[in-house]
Amino acid sequence: MGSYYLYIDDSGTKEYASDPLKYGKKGVSRYFVFGGLLLSKDSASQLAGKIIGLKLEYFGVDDVEIKSNWLRIPKDRRSRYIEPFNLSETRLNNFVEKYYEIILSTDLMFVASVVDKQHVQQKYGERAYYAPAIAYDVLLQRVETELKGNHSVGVTIDDMMGATPKGNQYKDNLTQQHNRLKQHGSSLLKSIKFTCLQGRLRFVNSGVSHLVQVADIAAYNVYRQFVDHGDNWEKETERLAVYEYFDKIACKFRQSAEGRIQGYGIVKFPVMNKVRWTIVNE
């Protein structure tokens, strides 16, 4: 069995709003996303090496954390990158372009699970699972299907701080779920057994993991896609409007032989209407 790694980061708030009609642009987010980076052991080593080299070239050090929202928000761009490293806007933009080029040139696959908390509450009410639990199960379903029992995968996720409203620690919840999924299979789709999962769930601070930072690229850009255009994901339109930086990496998401990514590389839960969105090479 070949060894694969899955690196995961999240985007959006974990909790539900008190009322499914109260989600807005501020406060509790409607969407919660897990973005996953799936790649072989050799590709992981190569990707990390290239990223280290690029960081040294532009920042002079390799311990710079790259986060999508910091790159997008002007005050964070200045405080996190431009001022500490004496960069111009142009040079930082050049870094971002090369960073994406490295990702696109590497043999890797993105997967993402999107929990629409408004739809979950409307469909399941008080029976709704905790959003990260849904997202983790759904994400691993696609990894299991991709690896088809022929490979093992170790999972590393960004360290989670804090607790649920009931006082349960995020890390404890996810660790317990990981162990249950290994032993009993999916809670959402009983036919799925996670034969590929190997070892314990590993938590790391994203600031020291180059590859969790790449998973953030998937998580944040999918999150922004849904924040900006989420209502269109299940509408029959001729062409889906896309967030610019999601468009850059869309081709790296798991897809069918025909290029379909809905249900393959990006899975929304719950599914209200299946639209066969595909990647079109232009």
Side-chain angles (χ1 to χ4, degrees):
M1 294 179 69
S3 295
Y4 276 71
Y5 296 143
L6 177 67
Y7 294 88
I8 302 174
D9 204 351
D10 66 277
S11 197
T13 58
K14 299 175 178 66
E15 307 305 331
Y16 290 98
S18 59
D19 183 330
L21 299 179
K22 290 186 177 179
Y23 291 106
K25 292 187 177 294
K26 294 183 179 180
V28 179
S29 65
R30 175 177 171 177
Y31 301 102
F32 177 81
V33 176
F34 269 147
L37 165 67
L38 179 66
L39 71 179
S40 69
K41 183 177 180 180
D42 287 344
S43 291
S45 177
Q46 293 169 12
L47 179 58
K50 291 178 181 178
I51 290 172
I52 289 170
L54 186 67
K55 288 181 177 180
L56 289 172
E57 177 185 351
Y58 278 81
F59 303 109
V61 294
D62 65 359
D63 60 350
V64 181
E65 182 172 9
I66 303 303
K67 287 182 70 70
S68 292
N69 59 335
W70 292 351
L71 291 169
R72 305 288 172 267
I73 300 171
K75 67 176 183 178
D76 287 322
R77 281 173 64 88
R78 290 193 300 272
S79 65
R80 300 281 185 177
Y81 305 114
I82 291 175
E83 293 175 356
F85 300 102
N86 195 28
L87 296 178
S88 65
E89 287 281 355
T90 299
R91 186 156 174 80
L92 181 57
N93 289 338
N94 289 341
F95 167 82
V96 173
E97 288 299 318
K98 289 187 178 181
Y99 190 69
Y100 274 79
E101 287 172 7
I102 287 174
I103 292 170
L104 292 172
S105 66
T106 300
D107 184 13
L108 60 83
M109 178 180 290
F110 284 137
V111 287
S113 53
V114 182
V115 179
D116 186 331
K117 290 181 282 184
Q118 183 180 85
H119 285 174
V120 170
Q121 287 170 290
Q122 291 172 341
K123 187 170 184 178
Y124 298 101
E126 293 183 357
R127 297 179 294 117
Y129 281 120
Y130 186 48
I134 297 172
Y136 193 62
D137 194 323
V138 169
L139 190 77
L140 289 186
Q141 288 177 27
R142 269 59 197 178
V143 173
E144 175 68 29
T145 304
E146 176 63 26
L147 299 182
K148 299 181 178 66
N150 297 318
H151 304 281
S152 61
V153 63
V155 184
T156 300
I157 191 167
D158 184 26
D159 205 353
M160 291 185 173
M161 306 300 291
T164 70
K166 294 183 179 180
N168 299 315
Q169 295 295 315
Y170 295 140
K171 288 173 64 171
D172 292 344
N173 278 1
L174 209 55
T175 297
Q176 291 168 14
Q177 182 186 10
H178 179 85
N179 294 335
R180 284 197 305 270
L181 295 179
K182 282 179 62 179
Q183 185 173 0
H184 302 294
S186 171
S187 299
L188 301 174
L189 195 60
K190 299 300 183 181
S191 61
I192 294 287
K193 303 299 180 184
F194 295 109
T195 60
C196 66
L197 280 183
Q198 188 174 74
R200 63 180 177 84
L201 178 60
R202 179 170 173 258
F203 291 90
V204 299
N205 185 325
S206 61
V208 299
S209 174
H210 303 293
L211 300 186
V212 169
Q213 291 168 35
V214 175
D216 169 74
I217 294 292
Y220 180 79
N221 288 336
V222 169
Y223 174 75
R224 279 295 304 270
Q225 173 65 24
F226 275 80
V227 168
D228 293 356
H229 309 292
D231 287 338
N232 293 327
W233 187 252
E234 295 177 310
K235 288 182 180 178
E236 302 284 349
T237 59
E238 183 175 339
R239 189 179 182 90
L240 179 67
V242 292
Y243 173 60
E244 176 186 359
Y245 285 91
F246 169 70
D247 193 33
K248 287 179 180 290
I249 61 170
C251 62
K252 301 301 285 188
F253 281 86
R254 181 173 181 261
Q255 54 193 267
S256 70
E258 296 76 31
R260 178 181 168 187
I261 61 169
Q262 191 206 48
Y264 283 82
I266 301 174
V267 184
K268 173 187 170 289
F269 186 96
V271 176
M272 309 300 274
N273 182 43
K274 292 183 179 180
V275 180
R276 297 177 180 272
W277 292 120
T278 59
I279 301 297
V280 178
N281 296 319
E282 296 180 328

